[in-house]
Structures are given as C-alpha cells and as structure tokens.
Amino acid sequence: MSLTMSTLETTRAELGLVVLYLNKAEARDKICRAIQYGSKFLSDGQPGTAQNVDKSTSLARKVFRLFKFVNDLHALISPVPKGTPLPLVLLGKSKNALLSTFLFLDQIVWLGRTGIYKDKERAELLGRISLFCWMGSSVCTSLVEVGELGRLSASIKKLEKEIGNKDKHQNEQYRAKLEKSNERSLALIKAGMDVVVAFGLLQLAPKKVTPRVTGAFGFASSLISCYQLLPSHPKSKTV
C-alpha cells in the first residue's frame, strides 16, 4: 500500500513539473518552434502537408511573442553586473537592442500576414529587416558567451590552484562555476545554430543552407531551448 502511495506521489510530482513547464508561454512557443522547423526539415521547401504545418505554426508562434519586445527593452536599460568588461557590456546591450527590434517588427509582420496591415510589400521588407536583427542578436550572443566562457575558465583555473590537492568536485563553488560553464557552452552552441537558421531564412546562401539544413538546425536549437526551460527536478526524499 505504501509503495502504491509512493508511486502515486512520484507520478503526481512528475505531472506537476509537466504542468509547470507547459504553463510557461515561452515553453509552448519553443515546442511550437520545434514543430515548425521539424516540418521545414521534412518539407525541404516543397509544397505539401509539412510545408503547410511549417507556415501555420510560424504564424501561430507570433501570437506568443506579442509585446515580448518589452523584455529585452527592459534588459537594455537595466544596469549590468559590476566587473563586467566594457566590450561584453556593449555586446550584451547590442543583443538586447537587436532582439527587441526583431520582436517589435515581427508584430507588424504578423499584422501583415493576418490581413490587418494591408501594405504587404512593406510588411515583407520589415520581416526581412527583423530577421537581420535576429541574426545580429544571435552573433552578439555568441560573442558574449565566448567572452564569458573565457572569464569563467580563468576563474576556474584560479580556484583549482586555491583548492590544491583536495577533491575539487567536493567544492561547492567549483561545482557551481563548472555548471555555469556548461550552461554557457550550450547557449553558445544554440546561438551558433540560430545564426545558421537566420542565414537560411534570409536565403543568403541558398545552395548551402537549404530549407532542409535550416529546418535541421532550427529543430536542434529548439530542443536546446526546450531543455533550457525545464524546471529543476525536486530532490528525492530520504527515509
């Protein structure tokens, strides 16, 4: 009986995490993004069901991003942590400005595709400009992550010297820095993938970055985003 109750509690806790995850608008957006780019990979730019799913999901995702530009606008005017080098500060603020611009222009694109905004040519032009902004923000993110990884690496090496011959993995500060380094490495990989996706969407290298390549990179970066948004797992109770 106690085993059944324990299993029920564990299942309830796991479902609670799923509910918590799906309640995030950002998480739902990234799941839709994975569907969108997965469909793009399958269609390879050819007409059919997969391409219809790609286009409809792309339009649906824009609703999740309404007024989201405010987040990066707030980050743009917020103070940075003390001790951050000026080049990283400038890159970070540039990322916020470009991403906020992308999200703002993306709303006009949505208005154009729904028929509310009648000037289709201007909407398409703004859509292209918005993608360049997104690509620029992804490049800035990559450079910021490279810089921060360099700072973390130097900090970890310094800490290793302080720890000496002791087991460094028992040191809480060392483990925290290592975890942060892993998170930033994953963010760097995702940002690099997003640059390739932007290249594909803008058709800057159509022979090399085909719709299938764009879909593959977009799907992979979407899965990384979904992973990054996962809630922390509750620690198991010891009896």
Side-chain angles (χ1 to χ4, degrees), residues 22-36:
L22 294 176
N23 277 342
K24 296 179 182 178
E26 185 76 9
R28 294 197 299 274
D29 175 46
K30 298 310 177 188
I31 291 169
C32 287
R33 188 178 191 263
I35 295 169
Q36 176 193 345

PDB file of all heavy atoms in Angstrom, residues 22-36:
ATOM      1  N   LEU A  22       4.509  23.509 -19.040  1.00  0.00           N
ATOM      2  CA  LEU A  22       3.592  23.891 -20.109  1.00  0.00           C
ATOM      3  C   LEU A  22       2.836  25.184 -19.819  1.00  0.00           C
ATOM      4  O   LEU A  22       2.264  25.789 -20.723  1.00  0.00           O
ATOM      5  CB  LEU A  22       2.590  22.760 -20.382  1.00  0.00           C
ATOM      6  CG  LEU A  22       3.202  21.469 -20.955  1.00  0.00           C
ATOM      7  CD1 LEU A  22       2.132  20.395 -21.094  1.00  0.00           C
ATOM      8  CD2 LEU A  22       3.864  21.730 -22.297  1.00  0.00           C
ATOM      9  N   ASN A  23       2.828  25.600 -18.550  1.00  0.00           N
ATOM     10  CA  ASN A  23       2.180  26.863 -18.197  1.00  0.00           C
ATOM     11  C   ASN A  23       3.002  28.069 -18.649  1.00  0.00           C
ATOM     12  O   ASN A  23       2.504  29.190 -18.669  1.00  0.00           O
ATOM     13  CB  ASN A  23       1.942  26.948 -16.683  1.00  0.00           C
ATOM     14  CG  ASN A  23       0.668  26.238 -16.266  1.00  0.00           C
ATOM     15  OD1 ASN A  23      -0.195  25.969 -17.103  1.00  0.00           O
ATOM     16  ND2 ASN A  23       0.535  25.919 -14.999  1.00  0.00           N
ATOM     17  N   LYS A  24       4.271  27.824 -18.993  1.00  0.00           N
ATOM     18  CA  LYS A  24       5.131  28.904 -19.469  1.00  0.00           C
ATOM     19  C   LYS A  24       4.826  29.168 -20.950  1.00  0.00           C
ATOM     20  O   LYS A  24       4.905  28.261 -21.775  1.00  0.00           O
ATOM     21  CB  LYS A  24       6.610  28.523 -19.325  1.00  0.00           C
ATOM     22  CG  LYS A  24       7.092  28.315 -17.907  1.00  0.00           C
ATOM     23  CD  LYS A  24       8.560  27.910 -17.936  1.00  0.00           C
ATOM     24  CE  LYS A  24       9.090  27.645 -16.538  1.00  0.00           C
ATOM     25  NZ  LYS A  24      10.508  27.210 -16.580  1.00  0.00           N
ATOM     26  N   ALA A  25       4.512  30.408 -21.270  1.00  0.00           N
ATOM     27  CA  ALA A  25       4.271  30.771 -22.674  1.00  0.00           C
ATOM     28  C   ALA A  25       5.528  30.536 -23.504  1.00  0.00           C
ATOM     29  O   ALA A  25       5.461  30.107 -24.660  1.00  0.00           O
ATOM     30  CB  ALA A  25       3.835  32.232 -22.772  1.00  0.00           C
ATOM     31  N   GLU A  26       6.690  30.801 -22.889  1.00  0.00           N
ATOM     32  CA  GLU A  26       7.967  30.618 -23.586  1.00  0.00           C
ATOM     33  C   GLU A  26       8.179  29.154 -23.956  1.00  0.00           C
ATOM     34  O   GLU A  26       8.652  28.836 -25.049  1.00  0.00           O
ATOM     35  CB  GLU A  26       9.112  31.106 -22.692  1.00  0.00           C
ATOM     36  CG  GLU A  26      10.476  31.091 -23.337  1.00  0.00           C
ATOM     37  CD  GLU A  26      10.689  32.222 -24.317  1.00  0.00           C
ATOM     38  OE1 GLU A  26       9.837  33.136 -24.396  1.00  0.00           O
ATOM     39  OE2 GLU A  26      11.707  32.193 -25.030  1.00  0.00           O
ATOM     40  N   ALA A  27       7.804  28.253 -23.039  1.00  0.00           N
ATOM     41  CA  ALA A  27       7.966  26.817 -23.302  1.00  0.00           C
ATOM     42  C   ALA A  27       7.061  26.369 -24.444  1.00  0.00           C
ATOM     43  O   ALA A  27       7.482  25.623 -25.332  1.00  0.00           O
ATOM     44  CB  ALA A  27       7.663  26.023 -22.035  1.00  0.00           C
ATOM     45  N   ARG A  28       5.816  26.835 -24.438  1.00  0.00           N
ATOM     46  CA  ARG A  28       4.882  26.477 -25.514  1.00  0.00           C
ATOM     47  C   ARG A  28       5.370  27.015 -26.858  1.00  0.00           C
ATOM     48  O   ARG A  28       5.236  26.353 -27.892  1.00  0.00           O
ATOM     49  CB  ARG A  28       3.471  27.001 -25.206  1.00  0.00           C
ATOM     50  CG  ARG A  28       2.833  26.334 -23.992  1.00  0.00           C
ATOM     51  CD  ARG A  28       1.331  26.559 -23.973  1.00  0.00           C
ATOM     52  NE  ARG A  28       0.983  27.965 -23.894  1.00  0.00           N
ATOM     53  CZ  ARG A  28       0.872  28.659 -22.773  1.00  0.00           C
ATOM     54  NH1 ARG A  28       1.096  28.068 -21.612  1.00  0.00           N
ATOM     55  NH2 ARG A  28       0.548  29.942 -22.791  1.00  0.00           N
ATOM     56  N   ASP A  29       5.955  28.214 -26.811  1.00  0.00           N
ATOM     57  CA  ASP A  29       6.495  28.803 -28.039  1.00  0.00           C
ATOM     58  C   ASP A  29       7.632  27.946 -28.594  1.00  0.00           C
ATOM     59  O   ASP A  29       7.710  27.705 -29.807  1.00  0.00           O
ATOM     60  CB  ASP A  29       6.992  30.223 -27.748  1.00  0.00           C
ATOM     61  CG  ASP A  29       7.670  30.858 -28.956  1.00  0.00           C
ATOM     62  OD1 ASP A  29       7.116  30.776 -30.065  1.00  0.00           O
ATOM     63  OD2 ASP A  29       8.760  31.443 -28.794  1.00  0.00           O
ATOM     64  N   LYS A  30       8.518  27.464 -27.718  1.00  0.00           N
ATOM     65  CA  LYS A  30       9.662  26.675 -28.174  1.00  0.00           C
ATOM     66  C   LYS A  30       9.236  25.287 -28.665  1.00  0.00           C
ATOM     67  O   LYS A  30       9.848  24.735 -29.579  1.00  0.00           O
ATOM     68  CB  LYS A  30      10.696  26.537 -27.056  1.00  0.00           C
ATOM     69  CG  LYS A  30      11.297  27.864 -26.588  1.00  0.00           C
ATOM     70  CD  LYS A  30      11.795  28.706 -27.750  1.00  0.00           C
ATOM     71  CE  LYS A  30      12.317  30.056 -27.275  1.00  0.00           C
ATOM     72  NZ  LYS A  30      12.631  30.967 -28.414  1.00  0.00           N
ATOM     73  N   ILE A  31       8.188  24.739 -28.073  1.00  0.00           N
ATOM     74  CA  ILE A  31       7.650  23.463 -28.563  1.00  0.00           C
ATOM     75  C   ILE A  31       7.092  23.655 -29.973  1.00  0.00           C
ATOM     76  O   ILE A  31       7.328  22.844 -30.878  1.00  0.00           O
ATOM     77  CB  ILE A  31       6.559  22.919 -27.614  1.00  0.00           C
ATOM     78  CG1 ILE A  31       7.189  22.480 -26.282  1.00  0.00           C
ATOM     79  CG2 ILE A  31       5.825  21.739 -28.244  1.00  0.00           C
ATOM     80  CD1 ILE A  31       6.192  22.173 -25.193  1.00  0.00           C
ATOM     81  N   CYS A  32       6.351  24.764 -30.161  1.00  0.00           N
ATOM     82  CA  CYS A  32       5.820  25.084 -31.499  1.00  0.00           C
ATOM     83  C   CYS A  32       6.961  25.340 -32.475  1.00  0.00           C
ATOM     84  O   CYS A  32       6.872  24.981 -33.658  1.00  0.00           O
ATOM     85  CB  CYS A  32       4.916  26.316 -31.426  1.00  0.00           C
ATOM     86  SG  CYS A  32       3.326  26.015 -30.644  1.00  0.00           S
ATOM     87  N   ARG A  33       8.036  25.935 -31.984  1.00  0.00           N
ATOM     88  CA  ARG A  33       9.206  26.201 -32.840  1.00  0.00           C
ATOM     89  C   ARG A  33       9.823  24.885 -33.317  1.00  0.00           C
ATOM     90  O   ARG A  33      10.230  24.766 -34.477  1.00  0.00           O
ATOM     91  CB  ARG A  33      10.236  27.017 -32.064  1.00  0.00           C
ATOM     92  CG  ARG A  33      11.415  27.506 -32.917  1.00  0.00           C
ATOM     93  CD  ARG A  33      12.363  28.350 -32.057  1.00  0.00           C
ATOM     94  NE  ARG A  33      13.342  29.037 -32.874  1.00  0.00           N
ATOM     95  CZ  ARG A  33      14.582  28.605 -33.101  1.00  0.00           C
ATOM     96  NH1 ARG A  33      14.972  27.449 -32.581  1.00  0.00           N
ATOM     97  NH2 ARG A  33      15.421  29.302 -33.854  1.00  0.00           N
ATOM     98  N   ALA A  34       9.902  23.911 -32.422  1.00  0.00           N
ATOM     99  CA  ALA A  34      10.430  22.601 -32.799  1.00  0.00           C
ATOM    100  C   ALA A  34       9.549  21.956 -33.875  1.00  0.00           C
ATOM    101  O   ALA A  34      10.056  21.362 -34.838  1.00  0.00           O
ATOM    102  CB  ALA A  34      10.516  21.699 -31.571  1.00  0.00           C
ATOM    103  N   ILE A  35       8.225  22.095 -33.714  1.00  0.00           N
ATOM    104  CA  ILE A  35       7.292  21.559 -34.720  1.00  0.00           C
ATOM    105  C   ILE A  35       7.485  22.283 -36.047  1.00  0.00           C
ATOM    106  O   ILE A  35       7.517  21.659 -37.119  1.00  0.00           O
ATOM    107  CB  ILE A  35       5.831  21.703 -34.228  1.00  0.00           C
ATOM    108  CG1 ILE A  35       5.593  20.832 -32.994  1.00  0.00           C
ATOM    109  CG2 ILE A  35       4.851  21.337 -35.338  1.00  0.00           C
ATOM    110  CD1 ILE A  35       4.277  21.100 -32.296  1.00  0.00           C
ATOM    111  N   GLN A  36       7.624  23.604 -35.977  1.00  0.00           N
ATOM    112  CA  GLN A  36       7.794  24.412 -37.184  1.00  0.00           C
ATOM    113  C   GLN A  36       9.033  23.988 -37.977  1.00  0.00           C
ATOM    114  O   GLN A  36       8.948  23.723 -39.185  1.00  0.00           O
ATOM    115  CB  GLN A  36       7.912  25.894 -36.801  1.00  0.00           C
ATOM    116  CG  GLN A  36       8.196  26.808 -37.990  1.00  0.00           C
ATOM    117  CD  GLN A  36       8.625  28.203 -37.565  1.00  0.00           C
ATOM    118  OE1 GLN A  36       8.455  28.599 -36.413  1.00  0.00           O
ATOM    119  NE2 GLN A  36       9.215  28.945 -38.486  1.00  0.00           N
TER     120      GLN A  36
END
